[in-house]
Amino acid sequence: MINMSEVLNNNAPEKKQVIYSAVQPSGNITLGNYIGALRNFSLFEDKESLFCVADLHSLTVRQDPAQLRKRSPSLAALYIACGLDPEKNIIYCQSHVPAHAELSWILNCYTYMGELNRMTQFKAKSQQHADNINAGLFTYPVLMAADILLYQTDIVPVGLDQKQHVEICRDIAQRFNSVYGDVFTLPEPYIRKSTAKIMSLSEPTKKMSKSDPDESFVSLFDDPDTIRRKIKRAVTDSEAQIRFDPENKPGVSNLLTILSALKNQTVEEVEQSLSGLGYGQLKEAVAQTVIEEFAPIQARYKEIMADKTYLPTILKENAARAQYLAQKTLRKVYKKVGLYQP
Ligand code: AQP
């Protein structure tokens, strides 16, 4: 079981809490997305939880339309395969709920250019996509704020890279509330310290990302041979000593973090269990653990995708549930800012 005391900022009040999180269908879901986000989602089954396929967000980077069309339902199927029950949770596509884009426009008018300029993801993505620094990339955090605030969210389970975006969401909400009264709930990020950032296999000082080259990450769709091959090639160092030291040994430390997350053990316990062994054995242990973790998810995913009517039905029904909740907030916001509603 995941240790709840490991949580950063876990000080939300005792009430029926709303949980919101999203993943972009911008590539094959990675081990980083899984450990940093998806795997934590089922912790919140007893709360009112919304898990979104952030297809509008993914347009901030050029996507192949045919691929995107397939990836969105595929990601929703993965949510379910990872253990989320679509009857208890609301699993839906962002573009099926127009209120996201509508609230985003309003919030744009309550967000400053200076704040958005400070976003590290915008800086990184601008460098990565220098030929396409579009306005959507710049206002990405505002759409994310709209996602979260529409549902009066209390907790947002994310990886560390998204912490800054949850913070700006709070700032925007606070600014709006200070003018119009308590319209929005202020959300808290839920970030597990030990697994907050899984690093790239080929460049372990960089975050593992689904839009990076294929060899830099393990995907939830990789077969056992591919998982073994990729982890075998993971960059380590020449010291040949298994030791957790992210600064001097980022590659080995990343492998230990992955192992500790998936085995639900502390890094020290994992280090101890591998004492005296070499990097080959460390990599084999990581590969085997990942393969075993993914096997039931992949099997369930195949079953879901084989049923051609199940997923479209679920996504339509869940979008209607999300729309109902989102409209309540949007109507309130329109009224507060003075938009005429006959
Ligand atoms: N390497 C990571 N370690 C831990 N958590 C991670 N997350 C992403 N990478 C890691 C978390 O996964 C969730 C989904 O992220 P997203 O799709 O909304 O966008 P992202 O953070 O930009 O993820 P990627 O994989 O890097 O996507 P691309 O390449 O499209 O930009 C978030 O909770 C994120 O923190």
Side-chain angles (χ1 to χ4, degrees):
M1 274 303 290
I2 288 167
N3 178 5
M4 292 295 281
S5 64
E6 236 198 304
V7 173
L8 291 177
N9 292 325
N10 187 24
N11 53 359
E14 284 292 311
K15 72 172 176 73
K16 172 107 175 148
Q17 291 174 316
V18 178
I19 313 299
Y20 181 92
S21 201
V23 177
Q24 298 179 77
S26 46
N28 285 334
I29 300 308
T30 71
L31 182 60
N33 300 134
Y34 176 70
I35 293 177
L38 263 78
R39 191 165 181 263
N40 300 327
F41 290 172
S42 51
L43 282 176
F44 299 103
E45 286 255 280
D46 57 327
K47 321 268 188 219
E48 185 150 310
S49 305
L50 296 107
F51 298 105
C52 173
V53 173
D55 51 359
L56 294 177
H57 272 110
S58 72
L59 297 179
T60 53
V61 168
R62 291 283 174 265
Q63 304 290 336
D64 172 344
Q67 288 225 14
L68 180 59
R69 218 168 280 127
K70 283 189 190 150
R71 277 184 186 145
S72 294
S74 159
L75 176 54
L78 261 188
Y79 283 163
I80 300 170
C82 284
L84 293 178
D85 180 346
E87 305 286 330
K88 287 194 203 154
N89 304 283
I90 302 181
I91 295 170
Y92 71 102
C93 291
Q94 190 183 25
S95 64
H96 299 178
V97 182
H100 287 253
E102 293 170 290
L103 181 60
S104 179
W105 172 254
I106 305 275
L107 297 182
N108 264 316
C109 304
Y110 295 81
T111 307
Y112 296 113
M113 305 281 282
E115 297 179 286
L116 293 173
N117 256 324
R118 287 196 290 275
M119 295 294 112
T120 50
Q121 181 172 289
F122 173 66
K123 288 179 199 163
K125 295 255 170 174
S126 301
Q127 278 177 0
Q128 235 180 319
H129 304 279
D131 56 338
N132 179 25
I133 306 176
N134 59 71
L137 199 60
F138 188 62
T139 58
Y140 181 112
V142 186
L143 178 58
M144 182 162 157
D147 301 341
I148 296 168
L149 299 177
L150 265 182
Y151 301 100
Q152 306 295 346
T153 303
D154 296 285
I155 298 177
V156 188
V158 282
L160 191 61
D161 61 320
Q162 295 295 333
K163 183 166 182 260
Q164 200 183 25
H165 288 166
V166 181
E167 282 164 359
I168 193 176
C169 168
R170 285 175 61 91
D171 292 342
I172 297 168
Q174 250 160 346
R175 185 170 305 133
F176 195 93
N177 285 352
S178 72
V179 181
Y180 301 106
D182 280 342
V183 177
F184 297 125
T185 300
L186 295 187
E188 296 275 357
Y190 172 102
I191 302 169
R192 294 186 64 220
K193 271 187 263 181
S194 60
T195 57
K197 201 171 183 181
I198 301 298
M199 310 308 269
S200 156
L201 296 178
S202 51
E203 280 182 78
T205 49
K206 238 184 94 190
K207 182 182 88 114
M208 181 182 282
S209 270
K210 61 177 118 59
S211 51
D212 279 349
D214 199 48
E215 290 302 307
S216 68
F217 62 81
V218 170
S219 150
L220 252 112
F221 298 119
D222 284 341
D223 61 37
D225 286 347
T226 308
I227 295 174
R228 238 185 218 104
R229 192 193 72 239
K230 286 182 175 177
I231 291 180
K232 219 172 175 176
R233 286 193 192 157
V235 168
T236 48
D237 54 66
S238 54
E239 196 193 49
Q241 196 194 359
I242 298 176
R243 186 163 52 81
F244 186 75
D245 178 353
E247 205 168 308
N248 299 306
K249 295 167 73 68
V252 169
S253 304
N254 191 35
L255 293 176
L256 288 171
T257 302
I258 293 168
L259 205 50
S260 108
L262 297 183
K263 285 192 166 297
N264 294 316
Q265 290 177 339
T266 63
V267 167
E268 293 74 29
E269 284 168 337
V270 171
E271 242 178 344
Q272 226 165 21
S273 71
L274 292 163
S275 120
L277 302 182
Y279 288 174
Q281 285 143 311
L282 166 65
K283 288 179 174 179
E284 179 49 34
V286 175
Q288 192 54 36
T289 307
V290 173
I291 291 166
E292 282 168 21
E293 179 87 14
F294 285 1
I297 298 173
Q298 292 175 346
R300 178 82 185 103
Y301 171 83
K302 270 192 195 146
E303 278 171 21
I304 296 165
M305 295 305 275
D307 184 335
K308 297 293 171 213
T309 53
Y310 174 71
L311 203 57
T313 311
I314 289 285
L315 288 177
K316 268 191 193 162
E317 285 173 6
N318 277 268
R321 290 165 68 201
Q323 274 168 20
Y324 174 78
L325 296 174
Q327 276 304 324
K328 280 208 275 192
T329 301
L330 192 67
R331 269 201 307 272
K332 192 168 176 186
V333 168
Y334 277 9
K335 192 171 165 205
K336 290 280 184 186
V337 299
L339 298 183
Y340 171 60
Q341 307 289 296

